[in-house]
């Protein structure tokens, strides 16, 4: 793969990662802000996070607000790097000048005839500094690890709230017998959050919700975008590493 094709792929990947990361931040913030007053029933700490919720004897309590801070803002740094790298590669792909330089090759046959072949090759007037690819690979690797940690913690908080909300659903329905294992194992987390949207009661007037949202959709979109970003970051790292190896002979 030549440099132009590599940059063209990066020109698509970085904006795509930034877009998915931004969607993750927005969808997570929507779910968090919708539930933060209703679930904040703690006395000594802010526990209004929809992630890592807990079923108690009195109320369904949200997780510590730090979980939602991380889920909502954890991808801001990758977005910044994607913005910088994206502008750089998009501008080079869209506005860089490329010229065709002719090349000739002479082939002498056994009969004594001489054949001259002419080829045209596209060469960029301003190639990237060969030292660029190594820092880009390192930064991409760090962003991939950061996104992996973000996605893992996000998914863990999502599943924890889903599990605890199942207990709330059992209490609300006063389920017993074979209905309990059905709620605990057969109902999907998406359905559990749908029950939460319609059945969860406001604690008081000043801690009420404004309307209803699709909490499951908001959280699932956030989790999915975060995991997709991991694969895309790995893809960018592979491209940068290949270009770093290809430009090794140009580095002093």
């Amino acid at each position: 793969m030549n440099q132009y094709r590599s940059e063209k792929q990066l020109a698509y990947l970085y904006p795509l990662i930034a877009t998915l990361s931004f969607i993750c931040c927005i969808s997570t913030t929507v779910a968090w802000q919708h539930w933060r007053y209703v679930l904040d029933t703690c006395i000594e700490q802010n526990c209004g996070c929809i992630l890592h919720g807990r079923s108690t004897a009195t109320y369904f309590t949200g997780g510590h607000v730090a979980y939602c801070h991380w889920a909502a803002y954890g991808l801001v740094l990758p977005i910044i790097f994607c913005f910088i790298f994206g502008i750089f590669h998009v501008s080079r792909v869209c506005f860089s000048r490329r010229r065709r330089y002719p090349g000739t090759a002479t082939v002498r046959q056994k009969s004594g005839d001489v054949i001259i072949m002419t080829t045209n090759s596209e060469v960029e007037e301003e190639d990237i500094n060969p030292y660029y690819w190594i820092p880009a690979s390192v930064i991409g690797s760090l962003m991939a690890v950061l996104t992996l940690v973000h996605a893992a913690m996000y998914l863990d908080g999502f599943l924890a709230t889903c599990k605890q909300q199942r207990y709330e659903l059992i209490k609300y329905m006063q389920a017993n017998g074979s209905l309990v294992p059905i709620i605990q194992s057969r109902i999907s987390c998406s359905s559990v959050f749908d029950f939460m949207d319609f059945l969860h009661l406001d604690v008081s007037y000043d801690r009420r919700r404004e309307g209803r949202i699709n909490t499951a959709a908001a959280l699932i979109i956030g989790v999915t975008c975060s995991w997709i970003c991991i694969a895309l970051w790995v893809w960018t790292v592979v491209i940068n590493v290949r270009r770093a190896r290809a430009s090794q002979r140009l580095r002093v």
Side-chain angles (χ1 to χ4, degrees), residues 53-244:
R54 293 166 296 168
S55 176
T56 64
T58 54
Y59 303 112
F60 183 82
T61 303
H64 195 279
V65 70
Y67 292 118
C68 280
H69 284 162
W70 171 248
Y73 308 132
L75 296 182
V76 171
L77 186 60
I79 291 176
I80 294 175
F81 279 111
C82 283
F83 183 76
I84 296 173
F85 288 137
I87 289 179
F88 176 69
H89 288 289
V90 169
S91 62
R92 284 182 56 82
V93 170
C94 296
F95 304 110
S96 63
R97 293 175 295 177
R98 299 170 60 83
R99 290 184 178 180
R100 289 184 174 272
Y101 291 90
T104 60
T106 303
V107 178
R108 184 180 297 274
Q109 296 182 333
K110 292 182 179 181
S111 60
D113 297 334
V114 177
I115 300 176
I116 299 177
M117 296 182 297
T118 303
T119 59
N120 290 327
S121 59
E122 289 187 350
V123 179
E124 293 185 4
E125 293 187 356
E126 297 179 358
D127 286 338
I128 293 181
N129 190 309
Y131 292 96
Y132 163 83
W133 300 106
I134 294 179
S137 303
V138 174
I139 293 175
S141 301
L142 294 177
M143 293 302 102
V145 173
L146 176 63
T147 308
L148 176 61
V149 174
H150 175 272
M153 294 182 64
Y154 196 157
L155 180 60
D156 181 64
F158 174 82
L159 295 177
T161 299
C162 175
K163 180 179 179 180
Q164 293 296 313
Q165 190 61 34
R166 293 180 192 273
Y167 298 142
E168 285 291 303
L169 188 57
I170 291 173
K171 290 191 299 182
Y172 183 87
M173 299 177 64
Q174 298 180 355
N176 53 49
S178 60
L179 185 58
V180 174
I182 292 176
I183 296 175
Q184 289 181 338
S185 59
R186 293 302 180 91
I187 299 179
S188 65
C189 284
S190 177
S191 299
V192 170
F193 279 104
D194 288 339
F195 279 111
M196 181 180 179
D197 287 334
F198 287 90
L199 300 181
H200 190 87
L201 300 177
D202 296 336
V203 178
S204 60
Y205 181 79
D206 60 337
R207 293 180 180 272
R208 69 189 188 279
R209 291 180 291 161
E210 296 294 337
R212 290 190 179 95
I213 65 169
N214 193 331
T215 305
L219 295 179
I220 290 174
I221 289 174
V223 172
T224 304
C225 289
S226 185
W227 282 100
I228 293 176
C229 286
I230 298 173
L232 297 179
W233 272 117
V234 172
W235 192 354
T236 63
V237 171
V238 171
I239 295 175
N240 285 315
V241 169
R242 287 182 176 178
R243 293 311 311 166

